[in-house]
Amino acid sequence: MPSMGRNRSAQWLQTWFLLVFPRTCSTALLYSTYQFDPLEHLGGVAPYFESQDPPASPSAPQGCTPVRTAYLSRHAAIYANDYDYEEYIEPFISKLENLTSIDWSKVPTLNFLSSWTAPITEAEQELLTRVGRVEAAQLGATLSFRYPNLRLPTHVWTSSAERTYKSAQSLVRGLETDDDGIRVVSIYESEKAGANSLTPYKSCPAYSPSAGSDQQSVYLEKFTAPIIARLNVLAPEFNFTSNDVYGMMELCGYESVIRGSSPFCDLDLFSSDDWLGWEYTADIQYHYNVGYGNAVSGFVGLPWLNATASLLLGEKSDEDMYVSFTHRELPPMVVVAMGLFNDSASHILPFLGNLAVERLDCKGTYGYDDGDYYRVLVNSAPQPLPDCADGPGTSCSRSGFERYIQDRVGMFQGFSEKCGVDYDNSTDVLSIYTDLDLAYARFPAVTLTGYGVDLLLQKGITLN
Ligand SMILES: *[C@@H]1O[C@H](CO)[C@@H](O)[C@H](O)[C@H]1NC(C)=O
Ligand SMILES: *[C@@H]1O[C@H](CO)[C@@H](O)[C@H](O)[C@H]1NC(C)=O
Ligand SMILES: *[C@@H]1O[C@H](CO)[C@@H](O)[C@H](O)[C@H]1NC(C)=O
Ligand SMILES: *[C@@H]1O[C@H](CO)[C@@H](O)[C@H](O)[C@H]1NC(C)=O
Ligand SMILES: *[C@@H]1O[C@H](CO)[C@@H](O)[C@H](O)[C@H]1NC(C)=O
């Protein structure tokens, strides 16, 4: 149909498709509807997704308007975490490059390896990917849609690493309409900040970054054994190991956020059971590392919860919308301090995984008094708080919320003692949101060339 314009021919194609393939879902009863997306089972290596679990609406309950909110987000997608790269991905890639004698083009399910090249170099490891920048900006736009009545923030807080800082910058780009001058406040990732940073686990000697590795490795061996046996029949010269398999599966996530897709995600290569094995292995690690299986988790997560509750309960506040960026460790520790998902942490940790506390102003909601109510969202899904759900939807009344916070503080106060801090100027309280001068003053002069630059300029300090 050469005479048709582009749009009309596209429309025609669409109509034709609908006629020839009438709504696939109407055939659902005849065929299995089972679907599986490995990218939703990759724990901390998953691109951002909203599991909508439970499937409650992120909109405020009828009659309620959000009047203040606080978000804590993991940074967006990066090329590769240094541990993942050094432990699993780099050894696999290096082995692949060394074993040039294997003719992959003849190996079923792995034939793509004959022309595959590694998506990550050592230098790129911890950097935000393009997808990461876009997704962080998208979160900014999402917040503006979700809270049309709130003032734009004047500050967005972030821990000082490049990947968190750039996530904050990208979010600001998606949030502001013009150059609204939203400042990105960088909080140094000190090992002596006590509870007063967005990386308090780094100043907690009782927290070990490798916690959970021993428990994880037991299940790693178990779930990879049949996969190794199968792959070694296909390519015996490669001598696949557990770490190779784990790294190949991680590449599904990392390559997807770098290149947009990955041949390692193919379900003919790794079945849904294989992916669930990977996911469970990662869950075990997170459980003992930053979840309920680590005795310090709640103590490290509490200061953020307590500071946030104060910001939201207070009569007035500097911001309507508090947004902070951190690394993957802190949100699950806050989840423990809150008592949510008292089992495992897998759905809460994709890149950009975030949790939010909202203060709602409710009027004329049937069956509830007018007033303030509080609500928690994890990756957009409202979550009922344990023992605190006496409001509309999943929300909790002001007095209920105050009582709940007191209970949690009672369980988990005493950061410095629990962490066994070995420096004498520690603090148990997070004050970065109310003490901006402190945040500026604490920014160490040695990083003048880095990301503190706009802060220093703002303070009238010039760089020569
Ligand atoms: C690949 O070869 C290089 C150079 O011989 C060696 O250093 C490296 O350890 C090898 N990698 C693996 C995984 O065998
Ligand atoms: C303690 O002192 C160190 C070194 O001067 C500093 O980096 C850190 O921020 C201080 N901690 C607190 C909680 O003020
Ligand atoms: C295969 O790898 C395992 C674990 O790294 C090693 O112990 C074994 O010697 C290797 N086998 C061959 C045939 O290279
Ligand atoms: C997790 O659940 C168990 C069993 O209900 C409970 O005893 C425990 O206090 C909970 N942990 C936290 C941190 O809320
Ligand atoms: C909790 O917040 C209140 C109000 O900001 C503060 O006075 C208290 O010291 C905080 N406690 C902890 C354990 O963070």
Side-chain angles (χ1 to χ4, degrees), residues 44-102:
V45 186
Y48 183 63
F49 72 103
E50 297 182 340
S51 61
Q52 289 297 330
D53 183 17
S57 165
S59 308
Q62 185 266 329
C64 299
T65 316
V67 290
R68 208 178 290 168
T69 187
Y71 277 73
L72 180 66
S73 179
R74 183 186 174 202
H75 59 76
I78 54 169
Y79 281 86
N81 160 288
D82 55 357
Y83 178 79
D84 287 346
Y85 184 77
E86 278 152 29
E87 186 75 9
Y88 303 109
I89 296 175
E90 199 280 330
F92 168 74
I93 292 172
S94 148
K95 206 164 145 189
L96 195 61
E97 285 168 356
N98 286 3
L99 292 170
T100 48
S101 59
I102 302 175

Side-chain angles (χ1 to χ4, degrees), residues 190 192-194 196 423 425-427 442:
S190 166
K192 293 186 173 171
N196 196 20
Y423 45 96
N425 64 339
S426 187
T427 171
R442 287 170 70 229

Side-chain angles (χ1 to χ4, degrees), residues 400-411:
F401 187 68
E402 281 169 338
R403 216 169 25 246
Y404 159 78
I405 293 295
Q406 274 323 307
D407 286 350
R408 304 314 289 184
V409 169
M411 283 172 87

Side-chain angles (χ1 to χ4, degrees), residues 302-303 306-307 310 409 413 428-430:
L302 182 89
N306 184 57
S310 303
V409 169
Q413 70 188 338
D428 290 354
V429 179
L430 177 65

Side-chain angles (χ1 to χ4, degrees), residues 31-209:
Y31 302 104
S32 164
T33 54
Y34 182 74
Q35 281 184 341
F36 186 89
D37 184 357
L39 293 177
E40 296 191 355
H41 300 274
L42 272 172
V45 186
Y48 183 63
F49 72 103
E50 297 182 340
S51 61
Q52 289 297 330
D53 183 17
S57 165
S59 308
Q62 185 266 329
C64 299
T65 316
V67 290
R68 208 178 290 168
T69 187
Y71 277 73
L72 180 66
S73 179
R74 183 186 174 202
H75 59 76
I78 54 169
Y79 281 86
N81 160 288
D82 55 357
Y83 178 79
D84 287 346
Y85 184 77
E86 278 152 29
E87 186 75 9
Y88 303 109
I89 296 175
E90 199 280 330
F92 168 74
I93 292 172
S94 148
K95 206 164 145 189
L96 195 61
E97 285 168 356
N98 286 3
L99 292 170
T100 48
S101 59
I102 302 175
D103 181 1
W104 292 107
S105 69
K106 301 205 167 54
V107 180
T109 70
L110 286 168
N111 51 4
F112 67 89
L113 286 176
S114 62
S115 58
W116 184 80
T117 55
I120 314 160
T121 64
E122 189 144 12
E124 287 165 338
Q125 273 184 68
E126 305 255 286
L127 303 181
L128 215 54
T129 68
R130 186 172 283 110
V131 166
R133 292 204 301 269
V134 169
E135 286 180 341
Q138 194 173 329
L139 178 61
T142 301
L143 296 186
S144 77
F145 299 152
R146 190 172 290 162
Y147 306 110
N149 303 319
L150 301 193
R151 285 176 294 159
L152 282 183
T154 57
H155 296 86
V156 166
W157 284 260
T158 176
S159 69
S160 55
E162 168 159 357
R163 55 197 182 280
T164 49
Y165 190 89
K166 292 228 155 155
S167 300
Q169 269 187 329
S170 300
L171 173 120
V172 163
R173 281 191 199 113
L175 190 56
E176 63 189 2
T177 45
D178 201 351
D179 191 0
D180 295 321
I182 301 174
R183 307 257 181 220
V184 175
V185 182
S186 177
I187 306 292
Y188 182 56
E189 298 183 7
S190 166
E191 288 179 4
K192 293 186 173 171
N196 196 20
S197 77
L198 288 165
T199 46
Y201 52 90
K202 290 199 174 178
S203 22
C204 177
Y207 169 71
S208 158

Side-chain angles (χ1 to χ4, degrees), residues 4 21 32 65 78-79 86 119 152 175 232 257 266 271 278 291 303 331 348 368 377 436 456:
M4 273 192 191
F21 303 106
S32 164
T65 316
I78 54 169
Y79 281 86
E86 278 152 29
L152 282 183
L175 190 56
N232 279 340
V257 296
D266 194 332
S271 71
W278 189 101
I348 61 173
Y368 297 97
L377 307 176
L436 275 172
L456 295 165

